[in-house]
Amino acid sequence: MAPPWLDVLDETIHACAARGRRDLVRLLEDRRTRLLDPRLRVLVVGTRKQGKSQLVNAIVNAPACVVGDETGTTVPTVVQHAEKPSAVLVSGRADRTPVPVDEVGALALRRPVGGAAHLEVGLPRTLLRSGLVLVDMPPLDGAAEPGYAEAGLDGADAVLMVSDARREITRTELDFLVRAGRSCPQVLVVLTKIDLSQDWRRTAQRNREHLAEAGLPAHVLPVSADLRLRAAKTDDRALNAESGFAELVACLQQYAATKAERIAPHTAAAVTTRVLESLAEPLLAQRSAAAGQLEDLQRSLERLRRQSARWQNGLADDIADLASDVEYDLRDRTRRIIRTVDEFFDTADPAEVWDAFAPWLEENLRNAAEANFGWLVERSHWIAARIARDLAAYRADVLPDSTFWMPDQVFDSMSELERPSFGHFSLAQKLFTGLRGSYGGVVMFGLLTSLAGLPLINVVSIGAGAAFGEGGGTAAHRGLLPQVQQGVPGRGPAGAPGAARPLQRPARTAPGRAGRGGARRPAPVRRRRAPTGVRGPPAAVPPGPAGERAGAAGHRGVSERMRTNHGLSAPVPHDGGERSEVPS
Amino acid sequence: MSAALPDIAWHLLTGALASYRDQPRAAAAVRRELERFEEPLRIAVAGPPRAGKTTLLGELAARRGVIFTETPTIPVPDADALLYLTPHPGESVAYELADAQVSTLARATPVDTIVVLSRADEFGGGRVDGLGSARMIARRYQRHVALQQVCQAVVAASARIGYAGRTLTAPEHAALTSLAGRTREETERYLLSVDRFVDPQAPVPVDPAVRAGLVERLGLPGVRLALTLLRTGSATRDELSGQLVARSGLDDLRDAIGELFIEWRPVLKARSALIALDALVRAQPHPDGARLLAALDRALANGHELRELRLLAALRAGRTRLPISRTASSRSGAGSRVRPGGGGAADRRHRPGPGRPAGRGADRRAGMGGGRRRRRPLAGARRGPPAPPGPPPRGRRRGAQL
Ligand SMILES: Nc1nc2c(ncn2[C@@H]2O[C@H](COP(=O)(O)OP(=O)(O)OP(=O)(O)O)[C@@H](O)[C@H]2O)c(=O)[nH]1
Ligand SMILES: Nc1nc2c(ncn2[C@@H]2O[C@H](COP(=O)(O)OP(=O)(O)O)[C@@H](O)[C@H]2O)c(=O)[nH]1
Ligand SMILES: [Mg+2]
Ligand SMILES: [Mg+2]
């Protein structure tokens, strides 16, 4: 019965074949053959001049490999069993050049081109008879092309890393071992030249720690090839024991004896894992491409989210400004009417003149409301345009026409002015109690249709309420008022000649300005920033109330003028000084 | 005859300074190069970890007009010359060095590098002749084509043996002497490994702790060498110390540094400046750039000093010989040695034999290099740099074949 690892290997080969990966099939079939081969192929690797070749020579007790301080090993040297000593330089499939076997240890071979060549040395040794094959490799960091040693790994059953005992194992060596473990998990680290080292015991211990940290379950064996060779020459058992080779040789023999049970399954597992990984690679690549797309999307979503947060904040700010400006304007207009009314009723009896008074009042109020509302509409367009410009994808035509326009008949629905029952209230009081509902209704009607959900409604209603002596708005709104009134020439209602000033004004200044500037919203007018990040001359300043306000009675033409203003897409330009104005 | 390289370099730099007038960064870089002309020669000591850089640096000591700096990696910015240490020589050293030259210009003029086969005592598997075999390998490498193309010389040196020899104490000498008093056969088995040498059970006439101290200082190969030297006639402490220093190769290295670097300070400075200017012009394009680059190329390609330096290296390596007639007619009579300064220098510096006592090393060091430097005001930048060390006689230069 085939061992389980062979089944796994064969299944993997089928899987590779099914996916058309002939390269992997070939690799696995090679590996399969090697693993079933009873010989144990050990790759001897390491950086320059660690004593790799000397180690191999000491194992077989013969000058099989080139040893020296100068050129060193240039071609892999395969040392294996033979009945008679032999040496052949193999440069190609059919290109086998015999080499005098006494000279192999002193060969000065040119560095092979393409790395195809290798030396085969056969020796009659008991140790090798069991099938042990030692491959002395050129140094990992030598002039040989990179990947030279890695290529050899696929044909190896075990790796023997040679490292000088006078120094600790290096990163380069550890990295190589990690890579090697993926095709050849049986790794042995040999510390050489312990005869020259004072603290090789400590070094060996440190190396074990380094290997453990790197996750490499490698054995560390300290040896001296020099002592071993000398011991062999002088037949000195004690010296041979000191050389540490007994353990190394026992280890290699054990590997060779247990290849089928221990090494083959391990190797098969490592190799199939690696192959399956490379089979899955395209899939993983696809997945990571998809993941990349998802990431891109998430990034742009995040960008949009940030942008929308920005425009929402901008809108909220603008609306708040608008609300307070509109509130003041409305207050101002109605107050002036009230003053006229008060003056009028100082001399006339309301009950007598009511029939004449009512249409006059109605018209004036209507005009005031229209003017105010018109201004509100215009400001809303200005705000919409400004916000839109801040958006990345702004084009002039994306602004919908449907932001809100003044409905033609909006004020027609205003309820008939109720004749108050003139009792113990002052007339004005009664009058506006009645009015409140209807004006509020008008505003609501106008706004609800287009701005549902925005705080504007509340604010405008409060504005209306405040003007009519009720509620009076929040402290925050009050705080704003004086600043609005300071106004800027030509913009706010405050600049209008003869404009009535609310009585509360001086009193309100104090809380509005109080201390903690940051907590309070600054004056809307001053705060008017030049829209940020806008190219070209922006419409920086919101329009003021349309038209000059003359006396309370002179409001008639306002609505006409206002309507023509609606044709302007750009708000009324303003003198430049203001845009850059900074609150002091 | 072409102008001297330092003059040309100075001229090009001041010209570049004018060209880059309105590019403050570039102008500052050019000014920096002009300043460097005046500074001591910077020699970087580089090489892989544990190559012995720090130890060697300690032995090279300070010299007037030279600054040594240790650095793990090449290329080394700001260095005028490089000592590249490698404990394991190989062709790959040539590739590493070629890669480390910062530009084509630099690569074409590899007069700034000396390769040091460091830890020479460890060569030959630590056998007694390790230092000797290292010296021979160095000599062979010097003739190796790949290495010729990247360096001026290959020198084997063991800073450990040099240091231990120079600072050999009386107790150390005494301990070594009593070990050497035993026959070779008696001591051999205790010299096979460090473990054996420091073994408390070993029946040798020296305290184990002292033995451990000796290995610590000299290494096992160093101990073997010292015993051999003591047995072959260098019996006194001074003699032993002198022999160890001489064999350490440090003198050879100092000689090479003196002859190939320090005496050519203005030329190496000029080379550094031209290479830096070349990089600057390529990085910061300028209308004058093409003209500058062409001038740079010409200066380095035709600069006779650089060719002389290469020739000097070839002569030191024994790769070439001067025609007899030319040598005979040469002014300085320096034999086969090219001297940047012509007369005088050669007789001052007679190359010592390997048996030269160590005690004189210091005097020799102090007398070396930088002697002919003239000061030049930097600010007045109109004048060129000082005349470089006088060129060797013309006839010799013509005979040069690289
Ligand atoms: N003292 C001592 N010297 C050793 C030992 N092993 C090797 N050497 C010496 O170290 C030097 C390099 O040995 P090699 O076996 O050629 O080293 P390598 O790793 O094969 O060298 P490259 O093939 O060039 O990478 C030689 O001088 C050997 O004599 C040892 O165990 N003890
Ligand atoms: N055998 C031998 N050891 C040396 C030599 N130079 C330095 N060392 C030792 O090598 C180790 C590293 O030397 P160090 O100068 O610090 O090398 P760096 O890392 O290149 O600076 C130290 O333990 C030194 O004592 C040398 O020439 N021969
Ligand atoms: Mg080798
Ligand atoms: Mg150091």
Side-chain angles (χ1 to χ4, degrees):
Chain A
M1 194 191 86
W5 63 263
L6 201 54
D7 291 339
V8 173
L9 205 58
D10 286 341
E11 269 176 43
T12 314
I13 291 174
H14 282 135
C16 292
R19 278 160 192 77
R21 292 294 300 271
R22 256 191 253 147
D23 54 330
L24 297 179
V25 171
R26 209 170 312 124
L27 182 141
L28 287 175
E29 278 176 345
D30 274 2
R31 225 42 220 267
R32 188 180 191 279
T33 317
R34 294 256 190 213
L35 289 177
L36 289 172
D37 186 336
R39 285 178 298 178
L40 182 89
R41 207 175 152 91
V42 180
L43 214 59
V44 182
V45 298
T47 52
R48 264 187 273 163
K49 302 287 176 254
Q50 302 301 298
K52 302 176 287 295
S53 307
Q54 183 85 308
L55 183 85
V56 173
N57 288 352
I59 292 173
V60 298
N61 187 25
C65 308
V66 182
V67 169
D69 298 312
E70 223 171 328
T71 320
T73 308
T74 49
V75 297
T77 307
V78 182
V79 181
Q80 56 199 353
H81 178 75
E83 293 306 333
K84 273 197 295 181
S86 65
V88 184
L89 176 64
V90 183
S91 307
R93 227 175 257 281
D95 187 357
R96 297 172 63 90
T97 320
V99 179
V101 74
D102 307 332
E103 290 172 22
V104 280
L107 272 183
L109 290 168
R110 293 291 306 155
R111 192 160 61 90
V113 183
H118 68 266
L119 256 174
E120 279 180 14
V121 177
L123 291 169
R125 290 285 182 278
T126 335
L127 177 64
L128 301 180
R129 197 187 295 277
S130 63
L132 179 65
V133 178
L134 298 162
V135 186
D136 177 30
M137 294 293 284
L140 293 175
D141 54 350
E145 43 270 65
Y148 197 87
E150 272 91 341
L153 287 171
D154 280 324
D157 299 306
V159 171
L160 210 149
M161 163 74 79
V162 179
S163 184
D164 194 321
R166 289 170 295 184
R167 50 159 193 82
E168 285 173 25
I169 199 164
T170 62
R171 197 68 252 166
T172 319
E173 292 169 320
L174 286 171
D175 286 350
F176 178 82
L177 286 182
V178 169
R179 269 178 286 138
R182 290 164 54 81
S183 6
C184 201
Q186 192 66 53
V187 173
L188 188 62
V189 174
V190 179
L191 284 196
T192 50
K193 311 192 192 180
I194 58 167
D195 55 316
L196 295 179
S197 170
Q198 239 170 323
D199 48 5
W200 57 267
R201 290 175 186 84
R202 212 190 116 259
T203 307
Q205 194 45 44
R206 294 285 296 143
N207 285 355
R208 289 188 185 101
E209 287 162 23
H210 290 312
L211 288 163
E213 275 166 32
L216 290 161
H219 221 51
V220 177
L221 282 181
V223 302
S224 166
D226 259 28
L227 294 187
R228 156 84 166 184
L229 284 168
R230 177 176 288 264
K233 206 183 287 171
T234 57
D235 204 11
D236 185 336
R237 278 166 182 271
L239 196 58
N240 189 46
E242 284 168 49
S243 76
F245 266 70
E247 205 183 332
L248 173 62
V249 168
C251 197
L252 290 173
Q253 277 172 327
Q254 195 226 348
Y255 284 178
T258 59
K259 176 174 171 178
E261 306 90 84
R262 275 192 56 242
I263 294 182
H266 272 108
T267 311
V271 173
T272 44
T273 305
R274 202 187 72 193
V275 162
L276 288 177
E277 272 170 15
S278 81
L279 257 194
E281 219 164 70
L283 293 173
L284 290 175
Q286 268 175 25
R287 203 173 70 181
S288 77
Q293 272 175 4
L294 181 65
E295 243 171 55
D296 285 351
L297 283 176
Q298 276 167 340
R299 261 199 298 277
S300 58
L301 181 66
E302 188 48 40
R303 203 171 50 237
L304 288 173
R305 216 179 256 148
R306 271 201 303 276
Q307 218 163 51
S308 93
R310 209 171 60 215
W311 79 255
Q312 281 175 8
N313 289 340
L315 179 61
D317 283 357
D318 285 340
I319 293 295
D321 290 356
L322 169 65
S324 63
D325 290 358
V326 166
E327 177 192 350
Y328 175 73
D329 182 60
L330 184 60
R331 218 185 264 271
D332 189 44
R333 286 172 203 272
T334 48
R335 217 172 286 285
R336 264 177 290 157
I337 297 171
I338 292 165
R339 205 165 58 204
T340 315
V341 171
D342 277 346
E343 278 164 17
F344 180 66
F345 285 120
D346 277 351
T347 54
D349 180 356
E352 276 174 26
V353 296
W354 183 257
D355 289 342
F357 169 75
W360 174 89
L361 180 62
E362 203 178 306
E363 190 186 355
N364 271 290
L365 283 173
R366 181 194 293 266
N367 285 343
E370 274 184 2
N372 182 264
F373 192 72
W375 185 45
L376 171 75
V377 168
E378 205 174 321
R379 277 280 292 270
S380 78
H381 287 276
W382 179 85
I383 289 171
R386 206 187 66 79
I387 301 270
R389 222 166 285 126
D390 272 357
L391 295 178
Y394 172 69
R395 298 188 317 275
D397 56 334
V398 299
L399 266 194
D401 287 336
S402 62
T403 38
F404 69 110
W405 299 103
M406 177 128 80
D408 262 350
Q409 301 304 308
V410 65
F411 291 104
D412 291 354
S413 66
M414 195 154 89
S415 55
E416 186 74 359
L417 197 58
E418 245 176 75
R419 186 187 175 96
S421 60
F422 304 104
H424 48 276
F425 294 108
S426 93
L427 175 85
Q429 272 174 318
K430 283 177 207 158
L431 175 66
F432 292 111
T433 319
L435 264 179
R436 204 187 306 133
S438 40
Y439 184 73
V442 168
V443 173
M444 289 298 214
F445 177 82
L447 294 183
L448 269 176
T449 48
S450 50
L451 269 184
L454 290 178
L456 186 63
I457 297 161
N458 286 336
V459 179
V460 171
S461 311
I462 289 167
F468 289 84
E470 190 193 90
T474 62
H477 285 115
R478 257 185 236 129
L480 291 170
L481 279 174
Q483 292 149 22
V484 175
Q485 288 150 13
Q486 285 166 11
V488 175
R491 193 202 142 260
R501 306 272 153 174
L503 296 172
Q504 321 83 306
R505 182 176 150 223
R508 279 176 182 177
T509 310
R513 280 278 155 107
R516 333 179 314 277
R520 292 264 166 211
R521 283 178 3 90
V525 172
R526 298 278 188 108
R527 210 164 48 86
R528 185 82 52 227
R529 51 231 163 289
T532 48
V534 176
R535 301 129 291 258
V541 181
E548 289 290 66
R549 234 151 330 111
H555 278 215
R556 262 167 240 253
V558 167
S559 96
E560 278 79 14
R561 253 182 287 157
M562 222 172 48
R563 274 184 234 275
T564 49
N565 270 353
H566 286 166
L568 296 171
S569 62
V572 188
H574 218 276
D575 56 76
E578 196 210 330
R579 205 188 308 165
S580 55
E581 193 177 342
V582 180
S584 43
Chain B
M1 186 189 142
S2 59
L5 192 67
D7 284 327
I8 298 172
W10 185 264
H11 187 75
L12 283 174
L13 281 177
T14 44
L17 193 59
S19 295
Y20 281 107
R21 218 173 12 240
D22 40 1
Q23 282 173 247
R25 283 264 214 94
V30 176
R31 225 169 283 124
R32 173 82 194 97
E33 291 308 319
L34 281 167
E35 282 164 21
R36 274 180 54 175
F37 251 102
E38 279 294 289
E39 291 172 2
L41 191 69
R42 277 179 193 279
I43 304 180
V45 180
R50 291 183 46 85
K53 301 180 288 293
T54 311
T55 315
L56 183 67
L57 214 67
E59 285 311 285
L60 290 175
R63 288 198 203 183
R64 218 150 47 83
V66 191
I67 295 175
F68 286 101
T69 46
E70 180 183 342
T71 158
T73 52
I74 44 177
V76 187
D78 268 14
D80 303 306
L82 171 69
L83 289 183
Y84 189 69
L85 269 59
T86 171
H88 306 304
E91 257 179 73
S92 56
V93 173
Y95 303 124
E96 284 158 29
L97 285 171
D99 287 348
Q101 292 286 12
V102 289
S103 63
T104 320
L105 219 54
R107 216 165 293 132
T109 57
V111 297
D112 65 328
T113 306
I114 292 175
V115 170
V116 180
L117 304 189
S118 64
R119 308 176 74 109
D121 56 312
E122 292 184 345
F123 277 63
R127 286 173 289 277
V128 183
D129 59 349
L131 287 165
S133 93
R135 189 191 301 257
M136 283 185 14
I137 291 170
R139 213 165 284 158
R140 279 202 289 275
Y141 266 88
Q142 224 162 216
R143 300 192 194 143
H144 200 294
V145 183
L147 275 149
Q148 269 174 47
Q149 283 164 1
V150 294
C151 72
Q152 285 287 79
V154 183
V155 183
S158 167
R160 176 185 230 177
I161 300 297
Y163 174 72
R166 186 167 60 78
T167 59
L168 192 72
T169 64
E172 280 168 344
H173 177 252
L176 287 167
T177 305
S178 49
L179 285 172
R182 299 300 169 100
T183 64
R184 213 178 276 270
E185 290 68 38
E186 270 181 292
T187 52
E188 194 183 49
R189 52 185 314 231
Y190 301 109
L191 289 169
L192 286 178
S193 69
V194 175
D195 276 1
R196 284 184 171 218
F197 185 66
V198 301
D199 182 3
Q201 314 295 305
V204 288
V206 175
D207 185 67
V210 176
R211 277 181 263 147
L214 286 175
V215 200
E216 181 78 44
R217 287 257 288 156
L218 286 156
L220 193 60
V223 172
R224 287 183 192 143
L225 173 64
L227 294 185
T228 305
L229 289 170
L230 285 168
R231 282 172 181 145
T232 54
S234 308
T236 69
R237 186 172 136 211
D238 270 2
E239 281 166 343
L240 179 59
S241 155
Q243 276 293 328
L244 287 174
V245 172
R247 281 165 194 261
S248 74
L250 286 181
D251 284 348
D252 295 345
L253 182 58
R254 288 195 199 99
D255 278 348
I257 293 171
E259 285 168 25
L260 295 170
F261 289 169
I262 297 177
E263 290 182 16
W264 296 80
R265 191 190 73 102
V267 175
L268 289 173
K269 284 278 176 194
R271 176 182 175 273
S272 302
L274 292 176
I275 288 167
L277 186 58
D278 175 68
L280 179 76
V281 175
R282 285 174 201 282
Q284 310 242 359
H286 190 276
D288 292 348
R291 194 179 51 72
L292 268 171
L293 288 180
L296 278 166
D297 251 2
R298 227 176 310 122
L300 285 177
N302 301 338
H304 59 80
E305 293 95 336
L306 295 175
R307 269 182 289 149
E308 272 157 31
L309 254 171
R310 293 296 279 158
L311 172 62
L312 175 55
L315 287 171
R316 295 184 90 254
R319 294 195 301 257
T320 189
R321 249 177 236 280
L322 291 176
I324 301 289
S325 58
R326 299 243 161 90
T327 316
S329 71
S330 80
R331 235 183 348 169
S332 70
S336 64
R337 306 187 69 189
V338 174
R339 288 270 161 216
D347 11 273
R348 200 158 33 86
R349 221 154 296 115
H350 154 75
R351 194 203 288 267
R356 214 181 48 77
R360 298 227 298 274
D363 320 343
R364 201 159 58 112
R365 258 178 282 161
M368 218 177 212
R372 275 183 307 279
R373 286 194 301 135
R374 247 185 281 149
R375 306 251 15 119
R376 167 175 38 81
L378 225 198
R382 299 211 85 203
R383 237 153 46 79
R394 207 188 281 199
R396 272 211 248 147
R397 218 178 315 125
R398 289 244 185 81
Q401 284 169 355
L402 298 191

